[in-house]
Amino acid sequence: MIPFFSRKQYPKFWKDHLEKVNGNKKYGNYENIRFVVIDTETTGFDFYKDRILCIGGVAIKNNKILISDSFEIYIKQDVFNKETVKIHGIRRNGDEIKVTEEEALIQFINYLDDAVIVAHHTSFDIGMINQALKRLNVGPIKSRLLDTNYLHKKLSGTNPYKKLYSLDDLCEIYNVKMHDRHTALGDALLTAYIFLKITSKFKKNKAVNLNDLLATNYQLNR
Amino acid sequence: MKNTIAERILDFLKDFPPFDVLEKEQLFKIAENVKVIHLEKDNFIFKQNEKPHLNFYVVKEGAIGLYRTMDNDQILVDICDEGDLFGLRPLIQNDQYLMSAKANEESLLYAISVEILKEIIKTNDKINKFLIASFATNIKTPYANKDRQLFDYEEISDSNLSDIQTADYSKNPITCTKNTSIKEAAQIMSTKRVGSILIVENKNPIGIITDKDLRLKIATGLISIEAKVTEIMSSPVITFPINITTAEAQIAMLKHKVTHLCITKNGTPNSKLIGVLSEHDIVVLHGNNPSVLVKELKRSKNINTLKYIRNKTSNLLKSYIEQHIPITFISKIISEINDVITSKAIEFSIEEMKSEPPVKFSWLALGSQGRKEQLLITDQDNAIVFEDVPEENYKTTKDYFIKLAKKITEKLNFVGYEYCPAEMMASNPKWCLSLNEWKNQFNTWITKPTEDAVMLCTIFFDYSVIYGDKNLVHKMSESIFKSIESYEIFLNFLGRNALRNPPPLGFFRQFLVENNGEHKDQFDIKSRALMPLVDAARLIALSHNLKDNNNTITRFEEIANAEPQNKDLYLNCADSFKILLHFRTKQGIENNSSGRYVNLNKLSKSEKLKLKGCFKPIKDIQDLLNIRYNLAQMM
C-alpha cells in the first residue's frame, strides 16, 4: 500500500543512509568525524523473538561529548518479556512517550546521519537493529562500527578471543562513575566516556585515525 | 524528547553556584547543551593569552590547575575541583585568558556555551551578582569594581530584623514649658499616664523629667514640689533625627546612660520636638534585649549574676549572628556588656579589699576587648595603670593593686573569661604599673623595637579604659604618641610586624595542593585574615596620629577620611573585616570554639568564595604597607 515498500524502491530514509555512509569524505580527518555512541534496551537476547524497547545515542566530535546531539526513543511493544523489565525498568505501558518500531527506526537512522557507530558489544545492538530493519524490508546498517570491548582489548593487549569485558568491567578499569545503568542513553553515555578515555590513550602513542580504530574489530566491519 | 543525560547533568549542576540560583528551565537549557570533555593528566584546556573559547567549564570529575606563567615559571594560582567553574571571565569581557588551565589529574569537564548563559544573565539578577563576585575574586580587585555592595549582599539579605528598621517612637509627646511647676508637671504626667514629660522652649526640647527624677529628687524631699521643672529636669536631652534605627537608639541609650531619647526635626536639640523614644518602646520591639541585660548587670549583687548574664549574652550573640545583624552593631552591644561585667567584677573586688584604692587607677582592657571586637568569650588581656606615688609608698601601693587585680581576674575567670596563658593580666607585676613606669615601658618598646617589644606593643596599643580614671590613661597616650613622633622608624618595625603573617590569598591553593600536613583541613582565620587587618589599621591610624579609636572598623573608616586617595581600599578592608569577624563568630558559635580554625571542607562554595573575596583587600593593604614603610629593605 505504501509505495516505498515495493522491492526495488527503498524508502527515503534508507536511501539517504546508504548515500551518506558511502559517500563520506570526512572520515579522513579525525577531528571532523562524528561518532554516535549507542545502546539499546531489549526485551531479551533472542534476535528473532525479542524486540527493541529503547534506543539511546549520544554524539562525540573532536573528543567532546555533545549532549545537545543526543537521541532517546522508546518503542511501542507487541512482544513483552516480564523478566527483563526488572533490568531496564521499561514497562509495557510506562510513562515514556512511545512510537512505533518503524517510526523509531526512521528517526534513528536519520539521527545517525554519516556517523561512525560506537557501542559496547556492538554486534548485539546492531544485530537487533538489523532485525528490526529487516521487518521494514531494508538493512543491514551500513555505518562503520566500533566496539569498546575490542578497543579495550587492543589497547590492553589481551587476546581478543580470551575474554569478554562487560560494560561494568570497563567502567571499573577506566574509573567511570556508573549512573543510569540499564537505560539506553545512560549506558550510551558510559560507553561514550569509555570511548573518550580509550581514544585519548591511543593518542598518547600516536595520532589516532579511524582506520586504526576500525582495525581493532575487523570482525564487525567485514 | 526525554533526555536522561541532560537530567543527570542538571542534577549535578544544581548543587553548585551559580547554577543553584537558576530556574529549573534555565538550568535544563544549559544541561541540554553541555559538551563533555575528557582530559588526560597534564593536558591543557586553554593556555595563557589564548583567545577565549565559546564555552566556559565546570569540573565534573578530577582537578584542573590554573597557572600563570611568569618569567618561565608556572605559578599555580588556583585549583578547581568538582563543581568549580573556570574560564568564564574572558568570555564575558571578551578578553584573552589570563591563566592557563591544565588537568592536574584525569578530569571530566562540562563545557557550557557562554551564549546561553548570557541570555540567562539578562533575566536572573542573582547569577549576575555571583559573576561579579567571582570575577572580583579571581581576577580583579573588588574595589576596582565600583560595586561595593559585593561584600555584604548576603549580610543584609535578611532584613526582617528590627534593629535596622526605623525605630517606632511615640509621636505627640507630653510637654510643658520651663515655667511649669513640678507639681503641675506631675499632674499632667498622671492624667496622661506617661512616665516622662519633655520641657520645651519654642518647641525645642530643653530637658526631660521622668518618674525616676520625681522619686529621687521630690519624694525624698530634696526639692519642693512648688519649684520650677527646670530645677530637676535632665538637660540637655539626647536628640536624634526621625530616621533613627532601633540599633542606634539602643547604643545611644547605653552610651549616655539614659532611658529616653528625643526625636527632633533635624536631629539636634535646636529644632522642633517631634517625638520621644523610650527604652520601653524598644523592649516591646525586642524580646531579648541588651539594654535589659546591661541593666540587670548594673543591679547585680554577686558574680553568679554576672556569669548568668554572660551566658545569656552568648544566646543573644547567637541570635544576632543568625539574623545577620550588622557586625558593627553586634560588637558594640557585646563589648558594652563585656565592659559592664568587667566593671562589676572590679567593684565587687574593691568591696572585698580592706580599704579603698590608695590612689587613682585605671583598668585597661587590651587586645580584642580593647578594640571592642571580642564577641566570643576569649582569654583575658588586661592591665592596671595607677597614679605616681612617692617612692616610699610605691611598694604598698603596687601590692594593693596586684592583690586587687588577682581578685578581679579570678572573678572574670569564674564568669568565663579564661586566664591569659601568656599572663598578660593586671595581676602580673609586669603589667600593673604606675603612670611613669608605663610611660617608660612604652618608650623602651618604641625606641628599642625588638621583635618581642613590637609584639607587645601591638597588644598594649589597643587598650581601652574599662574602669577608673580616664585622665591617667590620657596622659599615658600622649606620652606614647610623643615617643613615636620622636622615633618614627618605630612605625617601620610595626609595619614589619604587620606583614609577619603570611598573606591569606592563596591559602586555598596551598590547602588544595598540600596533600598532608598538620593543619590540612583547617584555616587559621585569626592570624591569616583578621590580624593582618587589625595590624594594618593600627599602624596607619598611628601614623596619622588618630588615637581616639581602637576599633579596627572605625580605624579603617577614619584613615579612609585621612587618606582620600586610598579610601576605597580602606573601606574595603573595613568590609572584609566585618565579614571575617562575622564569619569567625559564626564558626565559634557553631563549633563551640574560639572560631579561630576553620574547617574548609565544611564550607560551601559560596562561603569559600566570600572568604576569598575578603582576602583580596588584605593582600592589597599589605602591598601598600610594604611600599610605604620600605619594608623590603628592612627584611
Side-chain angles (χ1 to χ4, degrees), chain A residues 58 63-74 96 174-175 177 179-180 183 185-186 189 193 196-197 200-201 204, chain B residues 1-6 8-9 31-41 43 55 57 60-61 82 106 108 110-111:
Chain A
V58 62
N63 302 311
K64 296 183 182 70
I65 301 174
L66 309 174
I67 303 298
S68 55
D69 189 1
S70 59
F71 181 83
E72 189 168 28
I73 204 155
Y74 293 83
E96 302 87 1
Y174 289 97
N175 191 21
K177 277 186 200 153
H179 276 297
D180 304 296
T183 65
L185 192 50
L189 184 64
Y193 286 148
L196 279 186
K197 293 195 176 196
S200 70
K201 294 232 156 60
K204 263 189 183 166
Chain B
M1 202 206 324
K2 190 176 153 70
N3 192 331
T4 315
I5 306 176
R8 213 50 71 211
I9 291 171
E32 258 184 337
N33 286 287
V34 156
K35 296 187 187 98
V36 186
I37 297 174
H38 168 256
L39 280 174
E40 288 284 314
K41 185 171 186 294
N43 281 3
N55 307 300
Y57 302 93
K60 165 68 168 61
E61 283 168 32
E82 195 178 300
E106 191 182 24
L108 275 180
Y110 288 159

Side-chain angles (χ1 to χ4, degrees), chain A residues 39-56:
Chain A
D39 185 61
T40 56
E41 296 303 321
T42 59
T43 57
F45 297 104
D46 190 318
F47 284 142
Y48 303 102
K49 284 189 207 145
D50 285 310
R51 291 292 181 269
I52 300 171
L53 290 162
C54 173
I55 307 173

Side-chain angles (χ1 to χ4, degrees), chain B residues 221-251:
Chain B
L222 283 176
I223 292 163
S224 152
I225 55 167
E226 302 300 338
K228 298 280 180 249
V229 284
T230 45
E231 290 284 313
I232 61 161
M233 71 182 186
S234 310
S235 179
V237 290
I238 310 300
T239 55
F240 273 93
I242 48 175
N243 55 0
I244 183 173
T245 63
T246 320
E248 285 172 317
Q250 281 180 307
I251 291 165

